[in-house]
Amino acid sequence: MNTLRPSQESALAENNKSISHVYTWVAARSAPQAKDRVIALLLRLRHYITTQPFEALFSLGLAILVLQLLSLALNWGVIHAVFQVDESACQSARGEGACWGVIGEKFRMILWGRFPYQEQWRSATACCLILAILALSVNPRAWTPRLKPFTLGAWVVTALAFHTLMAGSFLGLRFFQIWPPVDTELWGGLPLTLILSLGSIALATPLGIVLALGRTSDMPIVRSICVIYIELVRGVPLISVLFMASFMFPLLLPSLQTPDVLLRVLLGITLFSAAYTAEVVRGGLQAVDHGQLEAAQSLSLGYWQTQRCVILPQALAHIIPGMVNNFIAIFKDTSLVTIVSLYELTGSLGLALNGDANWRPYKLEGYLFIAAIYFVFCFTLSRISRNLESRLARR
Amino acid sequence: MMPSNDPLIEFKNVNKWYGNFHALKEINLKVQAGERVIICGPSGSGKSTLIRCVNALETFQEGELIVDGQTLGDNLKVIQTVRKEVSMVFQQFNLFPHLTVLENLTLAPEKTLGLSRPQAQATAYEELKRVRISEQALKYPAQLSGGQQQRVAIARSLCMKPKIMLFDEPTSALDPEMIQEVLDVMIDLARAGMTMLCVTHEMGFARSVASRVILMDQGQMIEEAPPEDFFTSPKHPRTQAFLSALHRN
């Protein structure tokens, strides 16, 4: 039992006598607003400069540097640049200004690759369809439970339409030939980038989830297979996976009729991406409170029921940032398929400019052009992910 | 058909180790249908481990555990059957945050008991009425207070129409003001004849509701007695020490 010394007790009693109050209810009110935002900002700035002079000087120096770089870029990219498809004008402006005419001259080759010239409108339409469905998916309202089935349906329809446009016939069957057939080896440029990245994303996601569940399962054989697969695939670069998919596959199984090179490459990228997706999913699964699993088990829910109804929906919020990170990386890694003679956006840029001595010096402008295209798609993916995240966080 | 005087839960010399740590020592316990057994004791004494063995959330290395006529072991089918008859209420509620209260209650009956959506919802509303929280059916758990969440958790367990209910310190995570509303629900359940195995520190509740009170310490049962005997004349020195520490507050 805690007892106080007599001197402590009387001191405590003295204090207690003087601190006896009764309080009335205080109504809640809104927080005080800044009287004048600009003045507050200026005051903050003055405070910053006076208390941290060296940091302020450094920031000033950095700001001047950035402005200088910006003005250089503007100078080169806009003010002294040549916008017409004029070889001689570009030649004379070399070193001083950008030659955007190279884009005007070569854009068809860069964007559509080796697709037959007359049929390139099909490539263009296919890409527009993808852009449309991506724009639709950015809107968070497309993923509400009411509209989700329509959004998913739209994706399926777009995928089929895309393939039909590129191949010329529905599902590639000769029976449904609408336009002249184009062999998959000739598919290139932006459509190829989109097929490879979006296709592998769509296939790698379920595979990655299954791998993650397998890796965390109680069955030792399943767990070992998944661990070996994930570690093996993560240990090799994508380029070697593509190499093996394209060249080793026919060598090892010569009797088998080798499937389409595009299919093999898509499979290779899918299997590669699935290993990374699996780890992101596993991280998300581990982030879900263990009590959720126990509650589901004590309600006699089976393994798959628990994963589908309880664990995975909660893991999703933790998984999305990492997964979208992977997807954005895959989107840009597709440029490696040049090694197997498939010319997606980066490869077709090389095709367009390497062979033409007149326009070859302006590769920088070409790269900036496709960088802008990559940025648009990657930023869209990133926005979709942010909107999904914020929707999940609101609950 | 199981004869009616067979115990519903029977521990026979159950021993459990976590690695080298002897967590449960020679547990011998029989619980008949309709009994309310309260288990108390210091933390780390194995109380939660013991009740978690009943619905196979924990496994044990030695001994035998028979629940509702089924011998618990590695057989998943047996475990599933047992889990349909045994429901558990957790200290941290463990409600599914991404589902509404109603969906929390109908999920398991629909998936494992095979009830249709209207049937499951009817049962859910019945149980919500029983725990006096019907008006919150369409809210999400995060919008409810702790006491309301725990009552929803109890309702969720009741929707499975269990024979046995396990309570693992159900009021320990609650504000003092909300403890009574949850205890009231548990008292109603006890009066209705539910077999309850409860780990709790609420001695008032134990005195009014228990058929038996068990003290556990260091993984073993120390003393087991009806509440009148347990609280007024404890026989084991450990029990006496435990009760006198309680009285000091």
Side-chain angles (χ1 to χ4, degrees):
Chain A
M1 180 79 76
N2 288 332
T3 46
L4 298 167
R5 294 200 304 276
S7 55
Q8 286 176 324
E9 263 203 59
S10 58
L12 212 61
E14 275 294 315
N15 272 339
N16 287 348
K17 261 193 279 204
S18 57
I19 59 172
S20 170
H21 291 300
V22 173
Y23 298 91
T24 54
W25 285 105
V26 178
R29 52 190 168 90
S30 50
Q33 298 290 329
K35 289 239 177 69
D36 191 1
R37 291 250 176 85
V38 176
I39 294 188
L41 199 69
L42 287 174
L43 281 172
R44 279 229 314 266
L45 199 64
R46 190 183 73 174
H47 177 83
Y48 176 60
I49 296 173
T50 47
T51 52
Q52 296 170 303
F54 288 118
E55 283 82 348
L57 211 60
F58 187 67
S59 302
L60 188 65
L62 270 182
I64 293 177
L65 189 67
V66 167
L67 282 173
Q68 285 218 316
L69 286 172
L70 268 178
S71 76
L72 272 173
L74 229 79
N75 230 346
W76 180 81
V78 177
I79 300 176
H80 293 136
V82 175
F83 288 95
Q84 315 95 295
V85 184
D86 187 348
E87 227 184 286
S88 50
C90 278
Q91 186 69 25
S92 52
R94 263 180 88 168
E96 276 178 18
C99 173
W100 298 115
V102 69
I103 309 297
E105 169 75 15
K106 294 283 179 183
F107 79 93
R108 281 187 83 126
M109 180 116 221
I110 298 173
L111 286 177
W112 319 128
R114 292 187 296 159
F115 213 76
Y117 198 84
Q118 303 299 345
E119 312 294 331
Q120 278 178 359
W121 66 269
R122 282 158 45 185
S123 287
T125 319
C127 289
C128 287
L129 282 177
I130 296 285
L131 273 173
I133 192 79
L134 277 175
L136 185 76
S137 304
V138 172
N139 189 335
R141 272 192 302 224
W143 299 102
T144 56
R146 212 162 56 89
L147 288 179
K148 196 153 85 166
F150 292 105
T151 312
L152 290 172
W155 269 100
V156 173
V157 167
T158 308
L160 285 173
F162 187 94
H163 183 87
T164 310
L165 277 166
M166 295 295 288
S169 58
F170 185 63
L171 291 180
L173 299 167
R174 199 70 65 82
F175 190 70
F176 299 108
Q177 201 78 35
I178 310 174
W179 300 290
V182 178
D183 198 30
T184 51
E185 281 180 351
L186 295 177
W187 295 10
L190 187 57
L192 188 61
T193 305
L194 290 175
I195 293 178
L196 289 176
S197 41
L198 296 177
S200 69
I201 287 172
L203 293 172
T205 306
L207 183 58
I209 294 178
V210 168
L211 277 172
L213 290 175
R215 185 167 175 165
T216 51
S217 94
D218 290 326
M219 295 179 276
I221 298 180
V222 170
R223 197 173 57 228
S224 311
I225 294 178
C226 290
V227 169
I228 292 173
Y229 175 90
I230 293 173
E231 295 303 332
L232 213 62
V233 171
R234 287 202 308 173
V236 301
L238 177 59
I239 204 161
S240 59
V241 173
L242 294 173
F243 191 79
M244 280 192 273
S246 177
F247 297 124
M248 312 290 312
F249 196 88
L251 276 178
L252 291 171
L253 303 162
S255 49
L256 242 65
Q257 187 185 30
T258 53
D260 192 61
V261 66
L262 183 59
L263 218 58
R264 272 181 278 144
V265 162
L266 185 60
L267 197 67
I269 300 181
T270 302
L271 292 175
F272 184 80
S273 179
Y276 291 84
T277 307
E279 286 299 277
V280 173
V281 172
R282 189 169 70 96
L285 291 174
Q286 285 177 333
V288 176
D289 187 23
H290 192 247
Q292 295 291 307
L293 180 64
E294 293 186 345
Q297 283 177 332
S298 70
L299 287 170
S300 79
L301 286 170
Y303 178 76
W304 290 107
Q305 291 167 332
T306 316
Q307 297 300 331
R308 200 162 42 89
C309 303
V310 176
I311 308 290
L312 278 172
Q314 292 183 60
L316 211 63
H318 300 281
I319 289 174
I320 288 181
M323 275 233 288
V324 175
N325 201 42
N326 277 348
F327 296 161
I328 293 178
I330 289 293
F331 197 88
K332 291 174 285 180
D333 281 346
T334 54
S335 51
L336 291 171
V337 299
T338 320
I339 192 186
V340 295
S341 307
L342 284 174
Y343 298 101
E344 50 70 69
L345 203 53
T346 316
S348 60
L349 174 70
L351 265 187
L353 292 182
N354 283 339
D356 190 344
N358 296 334
W359 294 103
R360 207 189 308 150
Y362 310 109
K363 266 216 165 142
L364 178 59
E365 290 83 337
Y367 275 116
L368 285 173
F369 176 60
I370 60 174
I373 297 177
Y374 278 120
F375 180 78
V376 165
F377 282 96
C378 293
F379 189 69
T380 309
L381 282 176
S382 168
R383 285 246 61 126
I384 294 179
S385 119
R386 269 231 269 157
N387 291 341
L388 274 174
E389 271 183 73
S390 65
R391 230 178 58 79
L392 288 169
R394 236 183 285 130
R395 251 193 278 127
Chain B
M1 208 64 189
M2 198 182 60
S4 54
N5 52 8
D6 258 8
L8 208 50
I9 306 174
E10 189 170 356
F11 284 82
K12 284 186 189 160
N13 295 327
V14 169
N15 280 282
K16 179 191 169 64
W17 284 266
Y18 280 119
N20 219 14
F21 175 67
H22 200 170
L24 287 178
K25 299 175 184 162
E26 302 296 332
I27 304 289
N28 281 287
L29 177 63
K30 290 200 180 92
V31 179
Q32 305 285 355
E35 273 200 280
R36 284 92 52 204
V37 176
I38 307 282
I39 306 176
C40 56
S43 57
S45 52
K47 328 188 280 288
S48 294
T49 314
L50 191 152
I51 69 168
R52 284 155 64 95
C53 288
V54 177
N55 71 348
L57 284 182
E58 300 280 357
T59 53
F60 51 90
Q61 285 81 5
E62 271 180 27
E64 211 182 337
L65 173 54
I66 304 172
V67 177
D68 193 26
Q70 313 263 8
T71 310
L72 276 177
D74 288 329
N75 190 332
L76 210 65
K77 268 201 153 56
V78 168
I79 292 179
Q80 284 297 83
T81 317
V82 165
R83 283 179 178 163
K84 288 197 177 105
E85 302 296 343
V86 179
S87 282
M88 187 155 178
V89 176
F90 300 87
Q91 184 177 349
Q92 302 297 337
F93 330 139
N94 288 338
L95 292 178
F96 305 135
H98 58 294
L99 301 175
T100 60
V101 164
L102 191 64
E103 286 164 351
N104 261 279
L105 266 63
T106 56
L107 179 65
E110 276 181 43
K111 300 277 173 197
T112 58
L113 297 182
L115 295 182
S116 69
R117 179 68 60 94
Q119 281 175 322
Q121 287 191 342
T123 316
Y125 276 114
E126 232 179 79
E127 300 302 341
L128 285 175
K129 204 157 68 143
R130 195 163 162 185
V131 303
R132 281 160 267 170
I133 206 168
S134 317
E135 65 285 359
Q136 315 283 5
L138 297 177
K139 290 214 178 138
Y140 284 94
Q143 298 169 292
L144 302 178
S145 73
Q148 291 171 323
Q149 288 187 46
Q150 192 62 298
R151 284 187 281 152
V152 169
I154 296 176
R156 182 176 65 175
S157 306
L158 290 171
C159 281
M160 299 294 288
K161 305 281 184 227
K163 289 201 183 125
I164 303 166
M165 279 196 75
L166 306 173
F167 293 87
D168 189 357
E169 299 199 38
T171 56
S172 296
L174 296 176
D175 284 349
E177 290 176 314
M178 296 182 196
I179 292 178
Q180 197 52 47
E181 67 192 46
V182 173
L183 289 180
D184 286 340
V185 170
M186 289 167 70
I187 293 172
D188 282 346
L189 279 177
R191 292 220 187 96
M194 174 67 76
T195 312
M196 291 163 65
L197 204 55
C198 192
V199 173
T200 185
H201 299 304
E202 294 293 321
M203 294 301 131
F205 171 76
R207 285 183 104 120
S208 61
V209 145
S211 328
R212 259 188 293 163
V213 183
I214 300 175
L215 178 77
M216 277 187 78
D217 191 14
Q218 297 187 38
Q220 69 170 88
M221 289 164 49
I222 305 284
E223 185 168 343
E224 133 179 45
E228 320 81 65
D229 296 338
F230 186 90
F231 289 107
T232 50
S233 48
K235 298 196 180 49
H236 197 284
R238 184 68 188 87
T239 322
Q240 292 159 359
F242 181 73
L243 288 173
S244 64
L246 286 182
H247 287 315
R248 248 182 271 149
N249 293 335

